[in-house]
Amino acid sequence: MSKITLRFSMSVFHFFKPVFALGLMLPLTLLSAQDVLTLETKDAPGLWLDVSSPLQESCAPALRDFREYFHKITGTALPEKAGDGRIPLRLELLAAGPEDQTFLGRGRAGDYTIDASKEVVVIKGKTPLALTNGLYGMLDMWGCRWVFPGELGEVIPKASALELPLGITTQRIASDARLLAGPPSYYSEGEVGDWVRRSRFGKETTVTAHHHWCGIVPPTVYNDPEKPATFHPEYFALIGGERVKGTDGHKFQICTTNPEVIRMAVESAREYLRKYPNVDTFPCSPEDNLEFCQCEACLALDSGELTSEGLRDVSDRVMAFVNEVARGTQEEFPDKLIGVYAY
């Protein structure tokens, strides 16, 4: 395969001092020295950055990192003006199609291509996230590694030559970054946010299915006997012939066949999806316990089968509730889904 080679000063690798063992294997890629274009630093700096103002803004963190790590690798600042023999590095935002707006399509928002010729190198993608990933993809080709968050986790080479395959390199992000658990801010701020972005695991939208039944019907509001104006124990699980009372939602479930609970769940989903347009799912998983409702209506939805532990299988009732929420939100949010855990 043909390549462009951008040649710089002597080759030295810097490795961080290990403080504990990591079970990681980093790939080593050996590139052929044939069919390359070599640009010597004494004759021309090699690349120069040619990025429009809107993309300078939308890809600012990645461009800042690209300049910094380019300098660390080469010992040379990345020029931002044309010059004799310099090859422009450009970002090109492609038009998104209807397929990119579907649930599965948004999961491909980070895919990119690098189109390299002897005249220009262009990173292309349909979102700023894709262009961001492309910049880090080039740094990855040149040996940069971010093993874990923080400066200690950086492995940045000092290279005599930087190589890019000529032609189009297409990179599809292997996993759906939307599935990262936890609050979105955790993956976009601080050292962890930097590490996620540099590892090409950033996301534009989120898929979540966390435990949320008692978020839909808050027991602090509806299951506190000391608040008679809003006390509705019938919203919560019937266990041993009695409705469970209390405000600790970790200890019980809601009654998912209660019509008012279903109505509240649908409205909660609508409000959530309106408030968080960058979320692709409404979380609708049961609380993390086994105290499911034993009322006749809930029991009637169960298959009657037992789990391998001898517990009653409640999968059918859970999915019946989730489908009620899905039907109630479909008209307003046809491109959103309801998220639920599968055990």
Side-chain angles (χ1 to χ4, degrees):
M1 179 180 289
S2 297
K3 307 170 188 69
I4 297 174
T5 299
L6 310 175
R7 191 167 299 281
F8 297 93
S9 56
M10 62 180 294
S11 178
V12 180
F13 279 85
H14 168 73
F15 293 93
F16 61 84
K17 181 179 179 181
V19 293
F20 55 87
L22 290 175
L24 296 175
M25 296 181 65
L26 300 180
L28 176 63
T29 302
L30 300 178
L31 299 176
S32 169
Q34 299 178 349
D35 300 325
V36 296
L37 173 64
T38 301
L39 302 179
E40 301 289 347
T41 53
K42 63 182 181 181
D43 298 324
L47 287 176
W48 69 282
L49 195 60
D50 182 18
V51 179
S52 66
S53 295
L55 293 180
Q56 286 269 8
E57 182 176 350
S58 59
C59 300
L63 286 167
R64 181 180 64 246
D65 278 350
F66 192 86
R67 295 183 186 97
E68 176 185 347
Y69 291 114
F70 184 92
H71 186 268
K72 286 183 177 181
I73 296 169
T74 66
T76 303
L78 181 63
E80 304 203 21
K81 293 183 179 179
D84 292 341
R86 296 178 186 171
I87 296 176
L89 171 61
R90 295 173 180 155
L91 305 182
E92 182 179 342
L93 191 61
L94 303 175
E99 69 280 3
D100 301 305
Q101 303 306 316
T102 66
F103 179 82
L104 292 178
R106 287 193 296 275
R108 304 247 58 93
D111 297 351
Y112 63 89
T113 62
I114 299 176
D115 188 353
S117 71
K118 296 180 180 181
E119 291 76 35
V120 63
V121 177
V122 186
I123 298 174
K124 301 178 183 180
K126 295 181 179 180
T127 65
L129 174 62
L131 303 180
T132 288
N133 286 344
L135 289 165
Y136 290 113
M138 286 184 63
L139 292 173
D140 180 86
M141 289 179 180
W142 296 337
C144 293
R145 300 290 184 267
W146 295 275
V147 184
F148 51 83
E151 186 176 354
L152 184 65
E154 293 184 353
V155 180
I156 310 300
K158 292 185 181 298
S160 61
L162 301 182
E163 297 181 336
L164 288 175
L166 281 170
I168 298 176
T169 301
T170 300
Q171 180 66 55
R172 300 192 71 182
I173 303 303
S175 55
D176 192 334
R178 296 177 297 175
L179 296 172
L180 286 171
S185 61
Y186 181 76
Y187 296 99
S188 61
E189 299 175 357
E191 288 185 342
V192 172
D194 291 339
W195 176 73
V196 166
R197 186 181 68 252
R198 293 164 184 168
S199 301
R200 289 171 289 171
F201 214 62
K203 56 182 178 178
E204 289 196 330
T205 57
T206 297
V207 171
T208 181
H210 56 263
H211 307 292
H212 193 52
W213 279 10
C214 285
I216 292 171
V217 188
T220 54
V221 176
Y222 297 104
N223 208 26
D224 186 349
E226 297 184 1
K227 297 178 181 179
T230 57
F231 184 48
H232 287 279
E234 71 275 13
Y235 293 171
F236 299 90
L238 182 75
I239 304 292
E242 295 185 4
R243 297 286 174 179
V244 179
K245 301 179 182 64
T247 58
D248 187 353
H250 297 294
K251 296 181 178 180
F252 50 85
Q253 307 286 355
I254 59 178
C255 178
T256 54
T257 56
N258 184 296
E260 185 62 14
V261 168
I262 294 172
R263 184 199 66 77
M264 293 171 69
V266 170
E267 187 54 37
S268 177
R270 289 172 176 166
E271 291 178 359
Y272 184 93
L273 294 173
R274 291 170 192 149
K275 184 177 180 179
Y276 303 108
N278 290 335
V279 171
D280 283 338
T281 58
F282 172 70
C284 197
S285 291
E287 297 306 316
D288 201 9
N289 64 67
L290 301 174
E291 304 303 312
F292 289 92
C293 185
Q294 299 170 359
C295 76
E296 291 185 6
C298 286
L299 293 176
L301 293 176
D302 295 341
S303 65
E305 297 180 1
L306 301 180
T307 69
S308 58
E309 295 84 6
L311 302 173
R312 190 181 186 91
D313 188 331
V314 296
S315 297
D316 287 357
R317 74 162 75 177
V318 171
M319 295 313 301
F321 180 62
V322 170
N323 282 327
E324 289 283 2
V325 179
R327 281 188 285 269
T329 56
Q330 184 177 22
E331 182 175 355
E332 185 175 354
F333 300 99
D335 59 343
K336 304 289 186 179
L337 297 180
I338 308 303
V340 61
Y341 288 143
Y343 289 87

